[in-house]
Amino acid sequence: MPNLTINGVAVSVPEGTTILSAAKQVGIHIPHYCYHTHLSVAGNCRMCQVEVEKFPKLQTACSTVATEGMVVRTDTEAVRKAVRGALEFLLIHHPIDCPICDQAGECGLQDYYMTVGLHKSRYPLGDKIHKKKVQDAGSGIVLDAERCILCSRCVRFLEEVTGTRELQFFRRGDHSEISFFPGRPIDNHYAGNLADICPVGALTSRDFRFRCRVWFLKSAESICTGCARGCNIEAHFHEGVLYRYKPRVNDAVNRAWMCDFGRMEYRKANEARLLAPFVRENGVEKEMPWGALMPQVAQRLSDAVRTHGADTVAVIASPQLSNEELFLVRHFASDLLGTMNLAFTRRAPEDGFSDDFLIHPDKNPNSAGARLLGIPGEEAFHAVAGRISRGEIRALVIFGNVLGAFSEKGTLELLSKAPFIVQVGTNEGVVSRAAHAVLPSASFVERGGTFVNCDGRLQRFRAGFAPRGKARNTIEILVDLGNRLGAGWSFSGEESVFRALSRSEAPFRGMTYGSIGSLGREVKR
Amino acid sequence: MTGPLFDLAVVLIRIGVVFSFCMGLVMVFVWAERKGAAYIQDRRGPNRASILGWTAWGMFHPLADAIKFLFKEDFVPDNAHRAYYVIAPMFVIAPVILSVAVIPFGPDVSIFGRRVMLQIADLNMGFLYVLAVSGMTVYGIVLGGWASGSKYPLLGGLRSAAQMLSYEVSMGLSLVGIFMVFESVRLSHIVLEQGELLFGVIPKWGVFVQPIGFILFLTAQYAEANRTPFDLPEGDSELVGGYHTEYGSFKFSMFMMGEYLHMVVSSVIVATLFFGGWQFPYLHDTGFLFPGGFSVSLPEIVVLLMRCGSIFVKSLFFTWMYVWVRWTIPRFRYDQVMRLGWKVLLPLSLANVFVTGLVLLLLER
Amino acid sequence: MTVGIKKAARPRKMSFPEGVYLVEIAKALWLTMSHLLRNIVRQEGIRTIEYPEVRREMPPRFRGLHRLMKREDGTPRCTACFCCPTACPAKCITIVAGESPDPRVEKFPVRFDIDMLRCVFCGLCVEACPLDAIRMDTGWFTPPDDSREKLVFTIEMLLEKRG
Ligand code: SF4
Ligand code: SF4
Ligand code: FES
């Protein structure tokens, strides 16, 4: 454990720690571009120079390992001068196109220019070297070679993380530029991370480009719903519209990355949403206020139970729901309706694409949670489906937008057998086309809760903004409906449900939102 | 001509003439207000409305206004009490018109050998009638404020009730001195009395025998007419438009007209009580008779015209005074209004009565 | 540290003649009357501008309706950088950015609406623009119109205006 002082602050760090990370531990920020926590050290941007006593020259903090008795200073005139010089060099050929650059607002050059630069350019505008702009680099990445500061983060990412090595430096000196081999653009499922790690606007995301200025965005800590991995992410939104996901560092799950499929999941919150409750009478949709619809639904359900018996109602849950929601769904089905016909179905018939890194075959974020909460999966679902197709089910409650085990045609055929179907869902789809009462629920980031990922890690996601349109939180809908069936629930918000859940469910016993934290926790198995 | 028919005709003509005189004055008044305000504030004032290209110095604007008011949608707000809402403006305008009745516009004249008063009704209770009748306008205002069913009018109405009641007291009291001096409340009598001379030099006008009374009365009149600096019932800066916020079209114009008519009438009254009414200084039935014994004799008709013109000019001046004061003095605060009314005007008018009585008593000795 | 307390002058107590108010009123009346008479006699003192016929010369920095500038080739100079909607305190600028076919332009406004009914004419958008693409030098006020929609100026309308 070497002990050193940085700007007079004593710190002791594990063997092999660099000065840059040691400084970070005591809250001293050392400017850097090429250094990335989850990539190897390159030491080529020279922004991280610091003064170390007894060293004749300034050292790069990202590559110098802390040793016993080191005395580091980051605030001397020599350091300032060197860093400003490094920045000025990086900016020599940088184009002045911040107004059109998508990185503006989260750009390393802008940030450090304001904190350590503030110099007047000494380089004539006309002498700037121009490189190729707006190149389609493949996999949804736009490359602007001119803006690149040659930090090589992207090169290292493609070498060390994906191993695909599409990007390389070409040419020399002032003319060096990042590019790909002709006919061999970026082609992997993690390319989106390139736009994240590029500290400047050289690599930007085609999907997010020009959609929204980053300074308008607000963010919420979240979990990707793309697959059972449950990558930790930040959801960025503005005025009730989701714009993008960015990975959040969690070394136990996704390190600092996420896949491109997951990145596109946000679109579902914006497209084809169910925004107002409606009923379908004789094939005609009719919008209806919540206040009028809820008593009707409750009435139909309790009528079915009373006249035909609890066996004739069924509840189909979804592993897209959070643990809190599933917990209520289970109580709703077994306690309030008193039925055994409860199962969940995933959103795809079988396992999807997967790889050996992050992408998991199960495309649902909470299948593990559903099982832990005692809601049976596909087998039980097929049993329920069988009962439906035999016409034994008189009232059916479906959570979710699709019945993954069936094709579209199959679903419609199956659902035509049930005389009364209630859907609690977020998006238009085959279920909303068949349901008799549609209760629009809050989509991802419009609500909070917890998921259990494929490795049994309980992770929390938070609400960012209020549900769109007239949609309501699923918990709210369940509590409302449950109380109409005599549940007497007084839950409000996911945290109150989680408290009840952690009291009664063994795997979650003793957990609180506080103890889950922002990085999650393993559940007991 | 037979007696009764002649009398009837005379009455009708008198009413017609006086009424149209007052209404005409209202028109002129509105014009003078706008043009006067403009000139006082270094503006140009109304100068757009024209007939065949002739703008008549903006004189057509009141006319255009009248036409506009007549053709605007006549609405009643949802929350209003329909009947009262409609009645209120009438309540404002009617008492004012009624009070014109007792004002003498000239001496008695003889037409076809009959004596005819240039006054609609020479009541022996004279000014008391004016006080009684003009006190009624407050009902119109409060009613309008209340019947509108909206908060600003209600506040405006309440304010004006408090204000008008407060000032009515001092208004009445400030005149007691005049009545004591002239020993009558009959207006024609008061005017006749004012034809005499004081110490043989100055005309025995109310303003000379009752200077304090005059100032008190004038002030109270401004307050009664809801006129700047006492226009708190309208208080546009805090009450939107005061008691007539919810009024529009012809009903609003009735409020307007009532207000202006009130001012015209009170100008005539001030002229009558304090400035000798139709009396022209040193002018007697036969012509001028100056203090030094110097005299000019004039034909009867000239004398009559001079006398009628005299009250006309005096009233015009006081009407103008309303405009003039409005564009000079800013609005009082409400507590200031109340303080002035109760703590200054009332004691002063009481003192005035007392002093007048004392002086009269001493003179009699 | 000394706290800088500034003693504000209390209003002077009124002298008796002032307190009586009458003299002061008379003075005030004289003042207004002098204006009136002066304006009747000669009209030079009158400041009124006969509006539709005569227009006030706009001061050079007058902030009127906005216009968008064009490049030499007639395309909008604006690159949809969103600086102006960021600066706008009234939140009345709506921009939708698009990818330009010309890689040297790269980004351009597909939509650029200014809601003139919301605009407070503060000029911050002009101040914020890095490209001098938006100006408020048309010398015009918001014109009256009979619908709200017509007062949301679109990019076409804004490009058409002259300074
Ligand atoms: S002038 Fe001010 S309020 Fe109007 S658009 Fe520009 S920034 Fe917004
Ligand atoms: S600030 Fe200028 S360039 Fe940027 S969006 Fe506004 S008008 Fe366009
Ligand atoms: S971060 Fe150390 S050289 Fe780039």
Side-chain angles (χ1 to χ4, degrees):
Chain A
M1 291 284 279
N3 298 298
L4 67 161
T5 70
I6 305 175
N7 290 352
V9 185
V11 54
S12 123
V13 291
E15 203 74 48
T17 310
T18 60
I19 297 177
L20 197 140
S21 359
K24 201 163 160 194
Q25 275 181 34
V26 289
I28 295 169
H29 180 84
I30 297 174
H32 59 269
Y33 286 130
C34 65
Y35 171 78
H36 188 279
T37 44
H38 289 75
L39 296 174
S40 64
V41 172
N44 61 22
C45 74
R46 317 313 284 181
M47 284 297 286
C48 63
Q49 295 175 83
V50 294
E51 203 174 277
V52 182
E53 228 164 67
K54 303 205 182 75
F55 274 80
K57 286 183 175 175
L58 300 182
Q59 298 297 310
T60 50
C62 66
S63 58
T64 311
V65 173
T67 53
E68 183 62 39
M70 236 181 197
V71 179
V72 180
R73 295 219 72 94
T74 73
D75 53 0
T76 62
E77 193 46 47
V79 171
R80 265 195 288 276
K81 210 170 146 223
V83 174
R84 187 180 307 125
L87 185 66
E88 193 176 350
F89 266 123
L90 292 174
L91 285 169
I92 278 183
H93 294 298
H94 193 80
I96 311 171
D97 57 1
C98 299
I100 47 172
C101 178
D102 225 32
Q103 190 82 4
E106 52 183 4
C107 172
L109 290 169
Q110 286 181 341
D111 292 349
Y112 289 144
Y113 180 78
M114 297 315 287
T115 51
V116 303
L118 288 178
H119 57 271
K120 273 232 150 29
S121 174
R122 285 183 269 173
Y123 208 74
L125 205 56
D127 290 357
K128 290 208 183 227
I129 291 173
H130 294 291
K131 298 172 190 168
K132 216 162 160 232
K133 294 179 84 74
V134 207
Q135 309 173 54
D136 183 357
S139 293
I141 292 294
V142 180
L143 167 63
D144 187 315
E146 210 169 68
R147 293 182 191 150
C148 171
I149 56 164
L150 307 170
C151 72
S152 82
R153 274 185 181 186
C154 52
V155 178
R156 279 173 284 147
F157 174 82
L158 293 174
E159 210 164 285
E160 296 160 16
V161 180
T162 64
T164 46
R165 300 188 178 84
E166 290 99 337
L167 291 177
Q168 274 303 336
F169 289 126
F170 294 84
R171 311 174 80 182
R172 281 182 302 168
D174 276 353
H175 295 272
S176 328
E177 67 174 273
I178 197 94
S179 194
F180 47 90
F181 295 101
R184 286 191 47 205
I186 303 169
D187 182 20
N188 62 61
H189 298 307
Y190 296 91
N193 296 306
L194 291 169
D196 297 339
I197 58 168
C198 179
V200 299
L203 297 169
T204 49
S205 147
R206 169 78 63 199
D207 179 69
F208 177 68
R209 226 163 115 86
F210 304 162
R211 300 265 320 284
C212 183
R213 276 306 201 177
V214 295
W215 56 78
F216 293 124
L217 296 174
K218 292 195 188 60
S219 99
E221 283 187 0
S222 203
I223 302 296
C224 176
T225 51
C227 74
R229 179 75 51 197
C231 289
N232 289 213
I233 57 166
E234 254 168 45
H236 289 174
F237 53 89
H238 173 52
E239 289 180 347
V241 179
L242 261 183
Y243 281 97
R244 63 176 179 183
Y245 289 162
K246 282 209 163 215
R248 182 156 57 92
V249 175
N250 186 343
D251 288 326
V253 183
N254 55 320
R255 299 170 61 203
W257 323 116
M258 73 184 290
C259 76
D260 291 350
F261 306 113
R263 247 173 231 278
M264 292 307 123
E265 278 289 297
Y266 83 88
R267 290 183 175 174
K268 303 212 168 81
N270 300 338
E271 290 164 2
R273 281 290 300 279
L274 295 168
L275 292 175
F278 64 85
V279 290
R280 179 174 281 107
E281 278 161 5
N282 310 322
V284 188
E285 286 175 25
K286 204 176 96 209
E287 221 177 273
M288 220 182 196
W290 282 101
L293 185 50
M294 290 302 260
Q296 248 183 47
V297 170
Q299 190 64 40
R300 290 288 297 259
L301 291 178
S302 62
D303 280 356
V305 174
R306 224 187 20 250
T307 49
H308 305 285
D311 262 6
T312 63
V313 289
V315 176
I316 297 174
S318 155
Q320 294 282 328
L321 297 185
S322 69
N323 293 321
E324 291 79 358
E325 289 157 354
L326 288 169
F327 176 71
L328 290 185
V329 167
R330 197 190 73 200
H331 278 290
F332 179 76
S334 42
D335 301 351
L336 299 177
L337 299 177
T339 176
M340 295 295 291
N341 302 323
L342 169 65
F344 74 80
T345 174
R346 306 197 292 191
R347 64 173 170 172
E350 59 249 351
D351 285 353
F353 173 81
S354 66
D355 63 11
D356 55 357
F357 183 36
L358 295 177
I359 304 173
H360 193 273
D362 177 4
K363 297 302 171 200
N364 298 280
N366 203 24
S367 309
R371 288 203 190 85
L372 287 177
L373 285 166
I375 299 175
E378 298 303 310
E379 239 158 69
F381 171 71
H382 282 292
V384 174
R387 306 205 59 188
I388 299 171
S389 64
R390 289 195 297 278
E392 289 165 26
I393 299 297
R394 321 248 356 139
L396 177 61
V397 185
I398 302 177
F399 291 85
N401 311 314
V402 288
L403 302 181
F406 291 89
S407 67
E408 213 176 293
K409 206 161 138 257
T411 309
L412 285 174
E413 219 175 283
L414 180 73
L415 294 184
S416 67
K417 303 271 167 52
F420 181 62
I421 303 167
V422 187
Q423 182 202 6
V424 180
T426 53
N427 291 67
E428 285 166 23
V430 61
V431 174
S432 77
R433 288 210 297 281
H436 300 104
V438 173
L439 312 178
S441 62
S443 159
F444 192 56
V445 191
E446 291 165 14
R447 71 198 215 276
T450 56
F451 292 143
V452 179
N453 83 347
C454 54
D455 302 322
R457 194 180 183 82
L458 180 67
Q459 307 194 94
R460 173 156 180 223
F461 62 96
R462 288 159 201 266
F465 49 94
R468 291 175 104 183
K470 296 201 187 103
R472 281 166 81 182
N473 209 317
T474 309
I475 294 182
E476 230 178 89
I477 298 174
L478 276 165
V479 169
D480 189 345
L481 206 53
N483 285 343
R484 284 172 200 281
L485 296 174
W489 281 333
S490 58
F491 298 120
S492 85
E494 63 270 12
E495 189 157 10
S496 63
V497 181
F498 189 79
R499 266 194 299 256
L501 180 153
S502 66
R503 263 199 306 276
S504 66
E505 306 299 312
F508 302 96
R509 185 141 308 140
M511 291 189 176
T512 64
Y513 273 6
S515 71
I516 301 169
S518 57
L519 296 183
R521 232 180 110 178
E522 302 264 317
V523 293
K524 306 181 194 84
R525 290 210 245 195
Chain B
M1 265 203 185
T2 45
L5 248 186
F6 177 78
D7 285 343
L8 190 67
V10 165
V11 168
L12 286 180
I13 288 170
R14 275 193 314 216
I15 292 177
V17 168
V18 170
F19 184 73
S20 41
F21 167 76
C22 287
M23 281 310 203
L25 215 51
V26 167
M27 278 281 193
V28 176
F29 191 1
V30 171
W31 170 78
E33 172 117 289
R34 290 181 180 160
K35 209 68 180 173
Y39 277 177
I40 283 175
Q41 298 168 345
D42 293 348
R43 290 187 287 111
R44 219 176 268 287
N47 63 352
R48 292 280 151 171
S50 66
I51 295 178
L52 299 178
W54 185 49
T55 58
W57 307 281
M59 206 86 92
F60 295 136
H61 280 254
L63 200 68
D65 265 352
I67 295 171
K68 181 191 75 173
F69 279 135
L70 277 174
F71 285 99
K72 270 186 142 180
E73 185 193 348
D74 192 21
F75 66 93
V76 177
D78 276 352
N79 281 339
H81 186 294
R82 269 200 101 81
Y84 295 161
Y85 179 82
V86 174
I87 289 172
M90 306 180 193
F91 245 100
V92 168
I93 202 164
V96 193
I97 296 176
L98 285 178
S99 60
V100 185
V102 291
I103 294 164
F105 284 88
D108 296 354
V109 292
S110 57
I111 299 172
F112 304 125
R114 289 222 196 188
R115 286 194 70 74
V116 171
M117 294 174 300
L118 294 188
Q119 186 180 13
I120 294 173
D122 187 16
L123 302 181
N124 56 3
M125 57 181 176
F127 195 74
L128 297 186
Y129 167 82
V130 175
L131 277 184
V133 175
S134 71
M136 302 248 293
T137 47
V138 69
Y139 290 110
I141 288 175
V142 176
L143 196 63
W146 178 76
S148 297
S150 147
K151 59 190 166 191
Y152 294 120
L154 183 65
L155 286 173
L158 287 178
R159 273 188 183 188
S160 77
Q163 174 178 324
M164 289 175 102
L165 291 181
S166 314
Y167 280 80
E168 208 134 294
V169 179
S170 358
M171 182 175 78
L173 281 174
S174 64
L175 286 181
V176 173
I178 282 278
F179 302 146
M180 282 159 81
V181 174
F182 298 123
E183 295 173 342
S184 169
V185 291
R186 183 190 279 257
L187 287 170
S188 56
H189 181 83
I190 293 176
V191 173
L192 273 181
E193 284 271 326
Q194 293 187 71
E196 283 163 29
L197 293 182
L198 215 51
F199 315 122
V201 209
I202 32 173
K204 195 187 173 189
W205 283 1
V207 64
F208 295 121
V209 292
Q210 283 286 314
I212 304 280
F214 165 64
I215 289 169
L216 296 181
F217 182 71
L218 197 68
T219 317
Q221 276 302 320
Y222 278 85
E224 279 289 295
N226 291 330
R227 211 26 205 197
T228 327
F230 298 99
D231 60 343
L232 289 113
E234 282 170 48
D236 4 32
S237 54
E238 62 262 38
L239 290 183
V240 186
Y243 59 90
H244 55 51
T245 305
E246 303 286 345
Y247 279 88
S249 73
F250 197 66
K251 290 207 258 332
F252 171 77
S253 79
M254 264 155 89
F255 271 126
M256 275 281 277
M257 240 146 53
E259 210 180 296
Y260 278 85
L261 207 53
H262 191 152
M263 285 183 271
V264 168
V265 171
S266 78
S267 307
V268 181
I269 286 173
V270 170
T272 307
L273 288 176
F274 290 96
F275 286 83
W278 45 261
Q279 298 281 8
F280 198 99
Y282 313 120
L283 185 64
H284 293 260
D285 288 350
T286 52
F288 281 112
L289 190 63
F290 293 108
F294 177 67
S295 69
V296 184
S297 64
L298 292 168
E300 199 179 328
I301 183 74
V302 174
V303 171
L304 180 68
L305 283 180
M306 280 180 82
R307 283 176 161 170
C308 289
S310 154
I311 188 160
F312 180 67
V313 170
K314 287 170 191 165
S315 322
L316 220 50
F317 174 77
F318 283 102
T319 322
W320 162 248
M321 187 89 179
Y322 269 113
V323 175
W324 191 7
V325 167
R326 172 167 182 189
W327 301 108
T328 302
I329 309 178
R331 182 185 301 149
F332 284 128
R333 225 167 43 214
Y334 200 70
D335 63 314
Q336 292 170 329
V337 169
M338 283 294 134
R339 198 175 60 210
L340 185 66
W342 292 107
K343 290 196 177 162
V344 179
L345 292 196
L346 186 62
L348 268 183
S349 52
L350 283 172
N352 187 39
V353 172
F354 181 71
V355 171
T356 309
L358 214 63
V359 170
L360 285 181
L361 199 69
L362 289 176
L363 283 182
E364 235 165 69
R365 283 278 159 82
Chain C
M1 199 185 98
T2 50
V3 182
I5 296 176
K6 194 179 166 213
K7 265 222 140 117
R10 297 248 153 231
R12 190 167 49 86
K13 241 197 137 38
M14 277 189 279
S15 64
F16 180 72
E18 280 168 352
V20 169
Y21 210 48
L22 289 176
V23 185
E24 296 302 305
I25 289 180
K27 277 198 221 159
L29 286 173
W30 169 243
L31 182 74
T32 46
M33 183 53 96
S34 68
H35 273 260
L36 178 96
L37 294 178
R38 201 170 54 229
N39 289 329
I40 290 177
V41 178
R42 12 180 220 117
Q43 310 242 311
E44 285 119 59
I46 290 181
R47 309 272 160 77
T48 311
I49 294 168
E50 299 281 344
Y51 170 60
E53 294 93 32
V54 187
R55 296 243 159 97
R56 183 195 290 276
E57 174 108 357
M58 289 303 171
R61 291 174 57 189
F62 171 76
R63 299 191 295 266
L65 293 184
H66 308 66
R67 66 175 173 134
L68 284 179
M69 309 298 291
K70 289 182 191 165
R71 292 200 175 90
E72 263 150 32
D73 61 0
T75 53
R77 209 188 266 177
C78 170
T79 61
C81 73
F82 283 78
C83 284
C84 50
T86 305
C88 178
K91 299 266 168 286
C92 59
I93 307 179
T94 312
I95 302 179
V96 175
E99 182 97 41
S100 165
D102 181 352
R104 280 166 312 151
V105 176
E106 200 170 336
K107 192 181 182 187
F108 81 112
V110 180
R111 253 182 69 198
F112 190 116
D113 298 344
I114 303 183
D115 186 344
M116 285 301 167
L117 292 174
R118 278 180 145 207
C119 173
V120 295
F121 292 92
C122 59
L124 289 183
C125 49
V126 179
E127 210 82 6
C129 183
L131 299 166
D132 190 17
I134 187 167
R135 291 191 190 166
M136 292 176 80
D137 59 356
T138 48
W140 274 96
F141 312 95
T142 315
D145 219 320
D146 53 14
S147 84
R148 284 168 191 275
E149 290 69 38
K150 284 188 198 153
L151 285 166
V152 177
F153 287 5
T154 59
I155 186 164
E156 290 82 21
M157 298 158 83
L158 291 165
L159 281 170
E160 231 162 58
K161 295 220 165 59
R162 303 260 149 269

